[in-house]
Amino acid sequence: MASPVLPSSGVLSPLGLDAVRPAPGFWGDRVALNREVTVAHCLEWMEREGWIGNFRGERPPRGREFSDSEIYKLLEAMAWADHPALPELAETVARAQESDGYLNTRWSGERYTDLEWGHELYCYGHLIQAGVARLRTHGEDRLTEVARRAADHVCDRFMAGTQTCGHPVIEMALVELYRCTGAERYLEMARRFVERRGLPALADIPFGRAYFQDDVPVRQARVLRGHAVRALYLASGAVDVAVETGDQELLKAVEAQWERTIATRTHLTGGMGSRHSDESFGDDFELPPDRAYSETCAGIALIMLAHRLLLATGEVRYAEAAERVMFNILATGVAVDGRSFFYANPLQVRVPAAPREGVNQAAEGGLRSPWFAVSCCPNNIARTLASLAAYLATADGTGVRLHHYTPGEIRHGGLVLRVETGYPWSGGVTVRVVEGGSGRISLRVPAWASGARVARVPAERSGTSASWGPAEPGYAVLDGEWRPGDMIRLELPMAPRWTFPDRRIDALRGCAAVERGPLVYCAESVAGEPPLDDIAVPVGPLAEREYGHVVEVPAEIVPATGSAWPYGPARPYAQAGERVTLRLLPYHRWGNRGPATMRVWLPLSDRHPRRR
């Protein structure tokens, strides 16, 4: 089956790319753009920057010490998308592999001398994931041979001892290769890598061992901490190991870490990470909007972890979290033309970023760039969108579950279902039976969808009014025999709504945000438009325009007091300023009109009662 994750057990089983086919729509359009534009864009830039030339032996090496991994991520995207450029690129990589399976264009003569920062095992992880994608979509070939030789080399070199890599990813890659091949040594190597972390296995650094998740063993950790991408990749690998070894204690430990992280360290968009200096989680409730790092790769890593926990447990909350990140981080990370990207995803930008040409040497948010000196995010977006169909629906012993809505076709157990929807702009979802059979069809009802309703419409009544029933958050479950022409209709209320922060998030007190369906909204101001610095809003009615593409909020411009010192005794409220209508757009659409200021959290007017 063509899927990035194929556990041997669990409550749910994934449906792969061969069973779920997106059609034009929110996600189908992005999947097509990714295959037709973004993959080629990434390939062109890595050739231009010399990262592919490293595999040809061109010297001096160019790029960072982990640049090999970007070629491997792109190869994975090509494998899922059946891209015609894959064989040539794979052959270039294969020629650089050494006789014992070692493969790294930066460290060949200095092997494994810097496991904290060298990223050799990290690079292997992405190579193996590319090989797994090729095995599942094509079968054995040159790329899969390279990946298996590298995995065998890792097992030969690291099975004994206590060493591991400063950047996790090898763990989930090895488990997936085990799932493909049945070779127990890959699973055992992954298990040992997970168990070694926190003994400690790595040297201390100025950021502290928590940066590497090497401060305490995985089983003893109570929350995700340190470098956000590393933490989420390690947790994903731990879930994979737990599922394949039947280790419920390990699985429960990761679930507990997830719960606290979601409750105290997650931005409204689902973004992960609050600190720029070490790309890390902050402390509990340290969630500043303007300094939110919220790396695109960390959002993608959360999707990976959420999907694994969903398959293992069947719990709807994991699909909820994945949807939040998909619409507000994954969709945000790439521009509408598929050729420029966000690395960081702050929730407020105070000063418009200066336009840049060429490679962006920084990772600050505020303006999409065609390429970065560290371009993990563009290639991560490419491989995730190329395999996105595998995240949309699953099966269990009774039938099919639909977790994420986009037009397309789903096949399982003789059933062929056609999904028709304008989601997330409209809340109507119609599932038509094309080929019938027996079984259960479950449709996820989001937690925000209070008042949702569902109807089953037999083929012979397709022209009559539906008999609606309530659909509580969770899953709307419908059983029975299905005949061609039968329909399920789900209606989700899509009115925009106010959202308020927990009072313990100091940086957000006195603010509110707007959401509509799964989308977070923001205010954006480009050159010539009113600034956002002095905007304040009362919590009142919200008006949507253009089928939810715009939400309008009554606001006022609160004039500055002109004080020479911003502290002192209580001052009377400023006089009411100019009344304006603030137009909010979905967060994933901001930054497509050039340099801009932006904010998700809107200050509440002093003349409006504070909430919470």
Side-chain angles (χ1 to χ4, degrees):
M1 181 187 296
S3 176
V5 186
L6 277 180
S8 62
S9 64
V11 175
L12 301 177
S13 300
L15 296 179
L17 308 187
D18 43 355
V20 182
R21 299 291 180 90
F26 189 94
W27 290 117
D29 293 348
R30 285 162 172 78
V31 169
L33 181 69
N34 182 64
R35 186 183 189 281
E36 295 163 8
V37 176
T38 302
V39 168
H41 175 90
C42 292
L43 182 64
E44 175 189 346
W45 272 94
M46 285 191 285
E47 190 68 79
R48 182 188 306 184
E49 291 301 301
W51 300 358
I52 295 175
N54 293 339
F55 288 87
R56 303 188 189 103
E58 297 171 8
R59 290 294 180 264
R62 297 175 63 183
R64 292 290 300 273
E65 62 274 16
F66 40 73
S67 292
D68 287 5
S69 71
E70 308 313 336
I71 282 78
Y72 303 151
K73 288 186 195 124
L74 187 63
L75 280 167
E76 183 185 345
M78 290 175 169
W80 296 126
D82 192 25
H83 199 281
L86 184 148
E88 181 180 353
L89 182 58
E91 183 61 32
T92 300
V93 168
R95 289 173 182 162
Q97 190 168 34
E98 299 184 32
S99 59
D100 64 349
Y102 183 88
L103 177 55
N104 193 282
T105 67
R106 175 59 62 91
W107 301 113
S108 179
E110 307 170 87
R111 297 184 180 188
Y112 309 119
T113 56
D114 187 359
L115 286 169
E116 287 75 24
W117 301 107
H119 289 78
E120 286 157 286
L121 292 173
Y122 169 80
C123 290
Y124 288 140
H126 285 296
L127 171 61
I128 293 166
Q129 287 178 323
V132 166
R134 190 62 167 170
L135 275 170
R136 289 178 175 162
T137 56
H138 176 82
E140 297 279 3
D141 71 352
R142 192 79 158 118
L143 176 58
T144 65
E145 175 193 355
V146 171
R148 294 182 69 164
R149 290 183 62 214
D152 289 336
H153 166 77
V154 170
C155 293
D156 292 341
R157 172 63 176 76
F158 290 95
M159 192 68 76
T162 61
Q163 292 180 309
T164 190
C165 183
H167 198 312
V169 86
I170 186 75
E171 299 85 355
M172 54 177 159
L174 286 169
V175 174
E176 222 58 56
L177 187 59
Y178 157 74
R179 289 166 172 167
C180 280
T181 65
E184 293 280 350
R185 67 193 313 228
Y186 301 143
L187 175 60
E188 178 59 18
M189 187 72 263
R191 187 192 70 79
R192 293 189 186 193
F193 279 144
V194 170
E195 297 292 1
R196 288 172 188 174
R197 200 168 292 268
L199 294 180
L202 297 160
D204 203 0
I205 60 171
F207 291 137
R209 284 198 176 94
Y211 175 87
F212 297 130
Q213 298 75 51
D214 196 40
D215 51 334
V216 295
V218 173
R219 297 171 189 274
Q220 297 176 21
R222 296 293 176 261
V223 69
L224 298 181
R225 69 238 176 268
H227 187 280
V229 178
R230 297 172 199 243
L232 290 155
Y233 279 178
L234 177 62
S236 296
V239 172
D240 288 337
V241 168
V243 167
E244 295 307 320
T245 61
D247 190 337
Q248 287 298 307
E249 178 191 52
L250 181 58
L251 180 61
K252 293 298 182 184
V254 177
E255 288 187 84
Q257 294 162 26
W258 166 281
E259 295 298 338
R260 179 171 161 190
T261 302
I262 292 296
T264 66
R265 300 186 175 191
T266 304
H267 294 282
L268 180 64
T269 54
M272 298 275 114
S274 297
R275 297 178 180 174
H276 287 234
S277 62
D278 51 355
E279 300 185 306
S280 74
F281 290 98
D283 293 326
D284 289 355
F285 301 108
E286 182 186 338
L287 295 165
D290 50 345
R291 294 302 294 164
Y293 197 61
S294 186
E295 185 184 341
T296 298
C297 282
I300 289 170
L302 184 69
I303 295 171
M304 293 177 180
L305 178 56
H307 186 61
R308 284 165 166 81
L309 289 169
L310 174 67
L311 296 176
T313 69
E315 295 290 338
V316 70
R317 64 182 181 273
Y318 300 120
E320 292 277 347
E323 178 179 68
R324 181 172 292 275
V325 177
M326 287 164 62
F327 279 108
N328 299 297
I329 299 293
L330 177 60
T332 308
V334 58
V336 293
D337 66 357
R339 292 185 173 90
S340 59
F341 312 89
F342 280 141
Y343 190 111
N345 293 277
L347 281 73
Q348 181 176 356
V349 174
R350 298 176 183 273
V351 179
R356 301 183 182 98
E357 296 292 336
V359 177
N360 184 351
Q361 299 296 324
E364 302 293 313
L367 192 69
R368 290 185 176 88
S369 299
W371 204 246
F372 300 90
V374 176
S375 270
C376 47
C377 297
N379 299 292
N380 225 348
I381 290 169
R383 69 174 182 146
T384 303
L385 287 173
S387 60
L388 190 70
Y391 293 86
L392 303 181
T394 62
D396 57 24
T398 62
V400 177
R401 290 197 202 184
L402 280 65
H403 306 286
H404 306 291
Y405 300 119
T406 196
E409 187 175 270
I410 298 171
R411 296 174 175 268
H412 176 69
L415 279 174
V416 178
L417 309 176
R418 182 180 300 123
V419 181
E420 301 167 359
T421 181
Y423 193 81
W425 310 118
S426 65
V429 180
T430 298
V431 179
R432 296 182 185 273
V433 179
V434 179
E435 296 181 19
S438 60
R440 173 175 294 174
I441 301 175
S442 302
L443 279 64
R444 184 174 63 86
V445 181
W448 47 260
S450 178
R453 58 181 189 163
V454 66
R456 178 173 180 169
V457 183
E460 63 271 16
R461 294 182 52 204
S462 60
T464 64
S465 59
S467 178
W468 295 95
E472 299 299 326
Y475 289 98
V477 179
L478 297 99
D479 286 296
E481 292 290 331
W482 300 94
R483 296 176 298 166
D486 288 349
M487 289 189 304
I488 301 171
R489 294 179 61 190
L490 177 67
E491 288 287 346
L492 303 173
M494 300 297 283
R497 61 192 185 276
W498 289 102
T499 295
F500 301 90
D502 189 295
R503 289 181 60 86
R504 290 169 289 184
I505 307 175
D506 297 297
L508 300 180
R509 286 187 187 144
C511 294
V514 172
E515 297 180 89
R516 179 185 180 276
L519 302 176
V520 173
Y521 280 67
C522 69
E524 179 188 57
S525 178
V526 298
E529 296 180 351
L532 300 177
D533 292 346
D534 299 328
I535 288 290
V537 298
V539 176
L542 296 166
E544 62 177 272
R545 301 284 184 262
E546 303 170 31
Y547 300 101
H549 289 272
V550 172
V551 171
E552 292 184 346
V553 180
E556 61 186 51
I557 298 176
V558 180
T561 62
S563 173
W565 180 243
Y567 310 101
R571 297 187 176 96
Y573 295 147
Q575 294 298 310
E578 178 187 356
R579 299 301 172 94
V580 297
T581 297
L582 194 60
R583 288 170 60 87
L584 308 182
L585 70 155
Y587 178 76
H588 74 258
R589 291 178 57 195
W590 95 271
N592 281 288
R593 298 187 297 153
T597 59
M598 178 275 296
R599 63 188 312 154
V600 167
W601 291 100
L602 308 174
L604 295 175
S605 167
D606 283 328
R607 278 165 290 282
H608 190 278
R610 299 304 174 100
R611 298 291 296 268
R612 295 187 67 180

